[in-house]
């Protein structure tokens, strides 16, 4: 395996509210290799976005706080950096793309200026050089007439174009890691295919690593080399993409795959019963046990650790040796 | 096709919205949301309507339900113009489910009252009978009738969508128009609701007009599929055929763009270049030609008609 560029160990993020303390991210360990795309999948509320925000020091505090763990990146622990040090990493060495480009772009500035701002800040480039760089990036992400597009305001662009601007901005400082949080969820399928293809091309060209956060298993299958499945704040399965889809180990992963409608066949779906538990009412033992077809006594009483099997990790008592 | 079997029919249905300019609201053009759609929905079948955002699928649904007056063309429900139906009669026979169960349910009303409201409005049954009917319907959609006294916020997203389905079903309609009914739901819950819709159709012989942008969902639930692009139907065929061998280049591109949850089969999508043109200024000729790799000269000037290709279905493309 290629060298690991980001090593997350035991990351835990808690949120405090009147209803108690909730672990939104609970003891997550992951590693991201140089040049790879790691897919992070899970349903809404499973903690995938909080995990990403924790890495970049963006969890609102209060109510949230990273309470344990480390995230090693280029010899430094991201979780122990102060705001000033973080700012040098954020948007520069690690950048992030969010789901809804309209809310992450500033509506009152031209998109060219917004990209140039990041370049001037991090690369200490002159105004003219930064503007050039912004236009170059807009061209790279496939926006026609980049000089003209740089002068547009976000509302003048379509959803797909806005997401391209976000990608251009995220890549303008040539980051080592790109965190993409549901980058195509708000887009139509044909535009989604364009954006995913574009991310792939750029990743290959720049040898960057991507943490691709999504709820769509199809997107993961086509774009990631490795996958981590998250449920209720924990990684329940971690594996190479092919083995995961060929032989899912964790009952939750299996349930997700059985729940998927396929366009070429009409078959009875086998949904996971029940719903994801609320963050303040996690069940005892394994968090998936109330919805699991294979739950045993031990699952109800004791939370499983991660077991290893064929180089894959799975948090389930079925795989106890 | 036997006329008796057709529950819903649209002929050259169009809905254009006027675009105005300036203070004097001078008419500067029109937005052609739906632009000449002819469809038949047979009793007991599911007709899937698929297309990307802005293609006019929701406007079409609104015209079908009589919520929107067509600019031209006709919508016949059971052989009679939708606009001619007495509103109450129409509502008893066609109902709808929307995408977002968070905004389609009144947060200040209890679930039971909401599901019972249509019965009350239509003056069906005494209070006790209505209550029994509500309990029965809640049970039917997989909700606990005991929970009739709860408010929407006490339910999860999937349960709320079940409540919305119960409200639509309580009058025992014949046609259910489902506009993106599972798009806001998580994977595991989406499967539950899709199974529920399947079961209800089988049990009550319901007819669905099912709208979604998600081809996997459409392929899963539909008997026949109509693909829309810029306010027009570009292809219509049986579900198996359309997914096995799409004819229209747009359908082909759309299908290849769907991420398949199988890394061994992850095909390279036919990448469409460019964005969807605006429905207020559709390109001349075939509306898809600026993005079509197979465009011929004739495509640039003359719009193709929706024509049948053998037994295969209908397609609107000069290639055929």
């Amino acid at each position: 395996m290629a060298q690991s560029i980001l090593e997350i160990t035991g990351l835990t993020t808690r949120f405090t509210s009147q209803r108690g303390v909730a672990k939104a991210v609970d003891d997550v360990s992951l590693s991201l290799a140089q040049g790879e795309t790691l897919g992070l999948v899970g349903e809404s509320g499973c903690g995938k976005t909080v995990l990403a925000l924790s890495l970049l020091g963006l969890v609102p505090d209060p109510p949230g706080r990273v309470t344990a763990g480390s995230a090693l990146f280029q010899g430094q622990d991201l979780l122990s950096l102060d705001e000033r040090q973080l700012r040098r990493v954020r948007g520069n060495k690690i950048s992030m793309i969010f789901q809804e480009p309209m809310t992450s772009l500033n509506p009152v500035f031209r998109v060219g200026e917004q990209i140039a701002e990041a370049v001037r800040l991090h690369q200490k480039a002159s105004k003219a050089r930064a503007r050039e760089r912004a236009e170059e990036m807009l061209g790279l992400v496939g926006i026609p007439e980049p000089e003209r597009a740089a002068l547009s305001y976000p509302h003048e662009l379509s959803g797909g174009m806005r997401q391209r601007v976000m990608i251009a901005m995220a890549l303008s400082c040539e980051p080592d890691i790109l965190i993409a949080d549901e980058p195509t969820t708000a887009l139509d399928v044909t535009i989604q295919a364009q954006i995913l293809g574009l991310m792939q091309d750029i990743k290959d060209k720049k040898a960057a690593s991507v943490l691709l956060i999504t709820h769509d298993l199809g997107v993961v299958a086509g774009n990631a080399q490795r996958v981590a499945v998250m449920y209720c704040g924990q990684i329940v399965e971690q594996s190479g993409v092919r083995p995961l889809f060929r032989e899912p180990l964790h009952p939750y992963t299996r349930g997700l795959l059985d729940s998927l409608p396929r366009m070429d066949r009409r078959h009875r779906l086998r949904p996971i019963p029940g719903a994801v538990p609320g963050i303040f009412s996690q069940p005892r033992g394994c968090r998936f046990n109330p919805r699991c077809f294979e739950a045993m006594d031990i699952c109800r009483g004791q939370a499983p650790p991660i077991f290893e099997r064929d180089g894959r990790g799975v948090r389930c008592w079925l795989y106890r040796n | 096709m036997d006329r008796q079997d057709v529950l819903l029919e649209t002929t050259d249905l169009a809905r254009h919205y006027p675009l105005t300019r300036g203070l004097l609201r001078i008419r500067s053009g029109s937005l052609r949301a739906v632009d000449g759609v002819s469809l038949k929905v047979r009793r007991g079948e599911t007709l899937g309507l698929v297309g990307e955002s802005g293609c006019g699928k929701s406007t079409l649904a609104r015209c079908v339900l009589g919520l929107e007056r067509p600019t031209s063309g006709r919508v016949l429900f059971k052989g009679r113009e939708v606009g001619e139906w007495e509103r109450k009669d129409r509502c008893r026979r066609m109902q709808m489910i929307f995408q977002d169960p968070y905004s389609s349910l009144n947060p200040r009303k209890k679930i039971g009252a909401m599901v019972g409201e249509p019965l009350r409005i239509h003056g069906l049954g005494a209070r006790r009978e209505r209550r029994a009917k509500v309990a029965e319907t809640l049970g039917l959609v997989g909700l606990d009738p005991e929970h009739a006294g709860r408010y929407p916020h006490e339910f999860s997203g999937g349960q709320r969508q079940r409540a919305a389905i119960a409200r639509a079903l309580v009058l025992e309609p014949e046609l259910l128009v489902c506009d993106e009914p599972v798009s806001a739901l998580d994977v595991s819950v989406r499967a539950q609701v899709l199974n529920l819709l399947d079961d209800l159709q089988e049990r009550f012989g319901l007819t669905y007009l099912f709208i979604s942008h998600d081809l996997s969902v459409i392929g899963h639930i539909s008997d026949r599929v109509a693909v829309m692009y810029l306010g027009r139907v570009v292809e219509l065929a049986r579900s198996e055929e359309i997914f096995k061998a799409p004819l229209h280049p747009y359908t082909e591109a759309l299908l290849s763009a769907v991420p398949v949850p199988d890394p061994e089969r992850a095909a390279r999508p036919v990448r469409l270049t460019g964005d969807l043109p605006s429905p207020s200024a559709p390109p001349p000729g075939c509306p898809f030609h600026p993005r079509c790799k197979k465009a011929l000269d004739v495509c640039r000037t003359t719009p193709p008609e929706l024509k049948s290709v053998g037994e295969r279905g209908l397609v609107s493309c000069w290639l055929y």
Side-chain angles (χ1 to χ4, degrees), chain A residues 59-102:
Chain A
V59 174
D61 176 12
R65 172 160 286 182
V66 178
T67 54
S70 63
L72 283 179
F73 168 71
Q74 297 185 340
Q76 48 186 357
D77 179 7
L78 292 175
L79 305 183
S80 63
L81 297 184
D82 62 32
E83 185 57 28
R84 205 171 48 88
Q85 293 167 312
L86 265 173
R87 242 182 239 179
R88 251 180 270 150
V89 174
R90 232 168 17 209
N92 188 21
K93 290 177 171 159
I94 303 181
S95 55
M96 187 155 174
I97 312 174
F98 298 91
Q99 173 172 352
E100 189 20 82
M102 198 59 210

Side-chain angles (χ1 to χ4, degrees), chain B residues 174-234:
Chain B
E174 293 166 67
L175 174 72
L176 208 53
V177 177
C178 312
D179 192 357
E180 303 272 9
V182 294
S183 304
L185 306 176
D186 266 320
V187 182
S188 65
V189 178
R190 185 176 65 187
Q192 295 170 5
V193 173
L194 285 173
N195 277 351
L196 173 67
L197 288 170
D198 264 341
D199 293 343
L200 293 170
Q201 179 168 48
E202 192 164 318
R203 189 153 164 195
F204 300 106
L206 286 166
T207 306
Y208 292 151
L209 178 61
F210 195 102
I211 298 173
S212 180
H213 70 282
D214 186 330
L215 284 127
S216 315
V217 170
I218 284 285
H220 172 80
I221 200 139
S222 310
D223 298 303
R224 292 189 306 140
V225 176
V227 181
M228 281 187 78
Y229 188 78
L230 278 189
R232 297 182 200 193
V233 172
V234 296

